[in-house]
Amino acid sequence: MHFRIYIKNVTMVNEGRRIKGSLLIDDDRIDQIIEGDAGPDMIPVDETIDGTGCYLLPGVIDDHVHFRDPGLTAKGDFFSESKAAAAGGVTTVFDMPNCQPQTTTLEAFDRKWRLASQKSVVNFGLYFGATAGNSYELGRLNPRKVAAVKLFMGASTGNMLVSGEHVLRIIFEQSSLPIMTHCEDSQLIADNLKACCRQYGPDPDVVHHPEIRSAEACYQSTALAVKLARETGARLHVAHLSTARELELFTANDPRITAEACVGHLFFSADDYKKLGARIKVNPAIKSAADRDALRRACADGTIYTIGTDHAPHRLADKVGGCVKAASGMPSIQFSLVAMLSLVDEGVLTMERLVELMCHNPARLLQIENRGFLREGYMADLVLVRPGVPWTLTPNRIQSLCNWSPFEGTTFRWRVERTFCNGFPIYNRGHVTDEKFRGRPVCYNR
Ligand code: DOR
Ligand code: ZN
């Protein structure tokens, strides 16, 4: 028995093109993409969706999430946060290793894999965390099972810092998988923190966060990562660039050294600390409006390769205090696509570029099999979005367990109408349709 869903009268955005027409889902696959008004080949369909006025995009692939499972599940877990993903049009997520226990052994990796399989309503892949002591494992990871290696070259939530050029070089040499780095120079940060505390006391207000986690700290660490990648030939993707200056280290046409920007750094600037305080405290820190604008331009011109969320839920109780006490990180996955679409409305980037950055390039980066594009025969991971329906974000809409969002009070012009994961309509206008549905671990073309 095949289940066939026919989505008609939509504008599809894919691989640099806009196509008016319709798309036919057959079970878990995209069966036909039809340009113009023609119907599907004579076969009856089970459901027809009239998407007049809507855009149909490949489901978003978020290359950077912290779903907190296992061990930190008071903040969120694979079930709650994957529902937030589905509600945001995200059909595949890649989860970071700074949970408890950390995903730095094969045993911890397999345990998290089982947990995600049991709890996730969207597709998933997992990063393996590098430590100073596990380079032997890094060289032997199963490339069909592990998405990539995550390397903290700067300390952040979870104490996974690896430092020292010699140790870092070994990791770059050993890993045959892509390496995603968190780049912030810890020594500079420690010095800045000491100076700031001398001036403002033991827990300086969060407005000082970008002085402590400074642009210089980002530049030094990112420059080191780029240098090591050049010297070792490793495939490097630097996570969450936050400054204009780091962008100078990347070019739009080096396929082995690329960079990610995260929605928070593209949406907010240091001017927002006054209003949002520790809610937008994140590592690396949100920096100046000029940095934000440079990152936006880099999304448009191809210097940035992917946009992720760095979805990192914390309870509001963890977000109390200043630069020292308040937890770093914020939830964002449920509203990342609509937030980026508002930047499309502002003329920051085109919808075609957005699809490149949030769907195609994450698939290319991680060599994901059969996902990330609207192509016949590919998995039917899709999101249907509607423009021109303004709505304001209030807490009752939030799926994340932590139940707050840095975007609260924001009025968005776009709405996620429906999300299809492996052909299944997992999200439909405000509701996750079936809490028992489960996504799949993704496969890699390696
Ligand atoms: O602000 C952050 N929060 N940066 C990170 O690198 C980790 C994340 C978290 O897990 O909370
Ligand atoms: Zn992160």
Side-chain angles (χ1 to χ4, degrees):
M1 261 300 280
H2 286 241
F3 198 84
R4 294 156 62 87
I5 302 175
Y6 180 52
I7 308 171
K8 64 178 188 181
N9 299 331
V10 289
T11 302
M12 292 171 270
V13 183
N14 186 61
E15 295 176 85
R17 289 185 62 209
R18 280 174 200 223
I19 306 159
K20 286 209 151 126
S22 55
L23 182 146
L24 180 66
I25 301 172
D26 186 336
D27 282 344
D28 55 3
R29 303 262 171 179
I30 298 171
D31 189 61
Q32 288 176 43
I33 295 171
I34 303 150
E35 293 205 39
D37 296 331
D41 293 349
M42 300 326 263
I43 316 161
V45 298
D46 299 279
E47 188 184 351
T48 297
I49 295 167
D50 187 347
T52 300
C54 291
Y55 288 75
L56 187 66
L57 318 179
V60 171
I61 299 177
D62 190 339
D63 67 358
H64 190 161
V65 309
H66 301 262
F67 277 5
R68 307 303 192 199
D69 229 332
L72 300 169
T73 51
K75 296 176 190 286
D77 71 7
F78 242 103
F79 181 56
S80 61
E81 304 317 291
S82 67
K83 284 195 291 177
V90 179
T91 50
T92 302
V93 296
F94 288 89
D95 191 62
M96 289 298 168
N98 60 337
C99 45
Q100 283 175 6
Q102 295 172 346
T103 320
T104 53
T105 64
L106 294 179
E107 193 193 351
F109 186 93
D110 286 342
R111 179 174 167 217
K112 193 196 226 178
W113 180 279
R114 284 195 298 276
L115 267 174
S117 305
Q118 286 159 9
K119 295 170 88 168
S120 184
V121 306
V122 298
N123 305 312
F124 67 90
L126 305 178
Y127 285 87
F128 191 89
T131 69
N134 72 356
S135 58
Y136 180 83
E137 279 95 332
L138 292 185
R140 284 157 192 77
L141 295 173
N142 180 350
R144 302 275 298 166
K145 202 162 181 194
V146 181
V149 168
K150 176 68 183 286
L151 172 59
F152 282 87
M153 291 173 62
S156 192
T157 312
N159 298 322
M160 291 189 67
L161 174 67
V162 182
S163 58
E165 190 168 332
H166 177 67
V167 178
L168 292 169
R169 184 182 298 277
I170 291 172
I171 292 170
F172 274 70
E173 281 168 353
Q174 282 295 316
S175 176
S176 51
L177 294 176
I179 302 174
M180 194 196 241
T181 54
H182 177 128
C183 286
E184 286 184 289
D185 187 291
S186 283
Q187 189 55 54
L188 278 176
I189 292 171
D191 295 345
N192 293 339
L193 178 63
K194 216 188 268 171
C196 201
C197 289
R198 228 178 279 130
Q199 203 172 346
Y200 300 106
D203 188 22
D205 189 276
V206 282
V207 296
H208 301 293
H209 193 50
E211 295 157 34
I212 296 167
R213 296 216 168 228
S214 64
E216 183 65 20
C218 294
Y219 184 80
Q220 291 302 336
S221 180
T222 299
L224 175 60
V226 169
K227 179 182 99 131
L228 288 171
R230 287 236 167 80
E231 289 172 2
T232 60
R235 171 72 180 93
L236 170 69
H237 193 53
V238 179
H240 40 46
L241 290 203
S242 62
T243 64
R245 195 165 162 224
E246 286 167 290
L247 290 164
E248 295 166 11
L249 297 162
F250 299 86
T251 62
N253 45 26
D254 185 345
R256 295 200 58 83
I257 301 179
T258 54
E260 174 203 54
C262 287
V263 176
H265 295 106
L266 292 167
F267 210 79
F268 300 111
S269 75
D271 303 334
D272 295 309
Y273 286 113
K274 271 191 217 82
K275 187 169 141 221
L276 294 169
R279 287 189 173 213
I280 57 163
K281 180 180 182 237
V282 57
N283 302 333
I286 284 164
K287 308 227 173 30
S288 70
D291 288 310
R292 179 200 61 198
D293 293 345
L295 291 167
R296 289 178 172 189
R297 283 194 298 277
C299 287
D301 72 19
T303 311
I304 290 291
Y305 192 63
T306 67
I307 294 176
T309 58
D310 198 5
H311 177 79
H314 289 285
R315 295 171 307 178
L316 275 178
D318 304 326
K319 292 294 252 172
V320 175
C323 290
V324 175
K325 291 215 177 101
S328 293
M330 55 184 162
S332 47
I333 200 164
Q334 192 180 341
F335 309 107
S336 59
L337 177 57
V338 291
M340 289 311 302
L341 284 166
S342 69
L343 296 189
V344 170
D345 288 341
E346 284 178 39
V348 169
L349 74 173
T350 62
M351 184 105 78
E352 287 82 350
R353 277 296 305 156
L354 180 150
V355 168
E356 206 66 44
L357 289 155
M358 299 184 86
C359 314
H360 301 335
N361 285 347
R364 291 181 180 121
L365 167 71
L366 299 169
Q367 298 156 281
I368 302 167
E369 205 168 85
N370 292 335
R371 301 185 191 279
F373 299 86
L374 302 182
R375 291 179 183 161
E376 292 177 357
Y378 269 49
M379 303 306 293
D381 291 343
L382 310 165
V383 54
L384 190 68
V385 284
R386 184 183 291 283
V389 279
W391 61 279
T392 300
L393 204 173
T394 45
N396 61 317
R397 295 180 184 261
I398 295 172
Q399 296 278 349
S400 280
L401 188 69
C402 65
N403 205 35
W404 66 273
S405 165
F407 302 111
E408 270 167 59
T410 305
T411 297
F412 292 111
R413 202 180 73 89
W414 290 79
R415 185 166 75 189
V416 173
E417 291 252 317
R418 296 176 193 248
T419 307
F420 299 85
C421 182
N422 305 324
F424 183 82
I426 182 63
Y427 178 80
N428 185 2
R429 296 184 202 154
H431 301 282
V432 172
T433 58
D434 182 355
E435 296 205 331
K436 293 201 177 61
F437 176 79
R438 292 294 172 264
R440 299 180 195 161
V442 301
C443 299
Y444 306 95
N445 286 316
R446 303 166 171 152

